[in-house]
Amino acid sequence: QVRVVESGGGLVQAGGSLRLSCAASGSIFSINTMGWYRQAPGKQRELVATITSGGSTNYADSVKGRFTISRDNAKNTVYVQMNSLKPEDTAVYYCNADLKTTRWSSTYSLWGQGTQVTVSS
């Protein structure tokens, strides 16, 4: 069974920092793009940041300059370092991986279970 699991969420004060991790495990042939998304209560899920296997990154305007996405291909893990956190960053953060289980199969997206990030004022 292939799965992705997030960790590192929690409660922090405004201005603080948090580092989230997401590890993909199971029978995986390759992983292309990995990314972080978030969803606040009553709102749509939105892009936070993505990173390709080659290291190209993309950020939402709301997090540019504060968040940094990175990955360790050898560990099939993606991270997001979140600095200068604001109450508006409060949401469930989800990890996404674009992967193949074999070289013959098609590419599909797999979501993690989510981890709660709460920023207090």
Side-chain angles (χ1 to χ4, degrees):
Q1 183 74 222
V2 179
R3 65 174 184 168
V4 294
V5 179
E6 304 97 332
S7 62
L11 174 64
V12 298
Q13 194 170 7
S17 298
L18 208 59
R19 181 178 175 87
L20 305 182
S21 300
C22 170
S25 62
S27 183
I28 299 170
F29 177 74
S30 64
I31 302 177
N32 293 319
T33 303
M34 300 185 79
W36 290 95
Y37 297 75
R38 66 187 182 187
Q39 186 169 22
K43 296 187 177 181
Q44 299 277 16
R45 187 173 299 185
E46 65 176 358
L47 169 75
V48 175
T50 61
I51 183 168
T52 68
S53 59
S56 296
T57 58
N58 181 50
Y59 295 93
D61 288 340
S62 59
V63 307
K64 286 181 179 177
R66 299 188 298 121
F67 291 12
T68 302
I69 189 170
S70 61
R71 65 190 285 172
D72 185 335
N73 291 330
K75 296 181 178 180
N76 288 335
T77 300
V78 64
Y79 310 91
V80 59
Q81 177 67 44
M82 307 187 296
N83 298 326
S84 301
L85 284 163
K86 305 174 181 179
E88 306 93 271
D89 296 317
T90 295
V92 177
Y93 283 69
Y94 296 92
C95 177
N96 176 263
D98 178 19
L99 58 84
K100 283 186 174 183
T101 55
T102 73
R103 71 182 304 129
W104 320 112
S105 60
S106 59
T107 302
Y108 68 98
S109 292
L110 187 65
W111 292 91
Q113 82 288 350
T115 185
Q116 177 70 47
V117 171
T118 302
V119 185
S120 65
S121 59

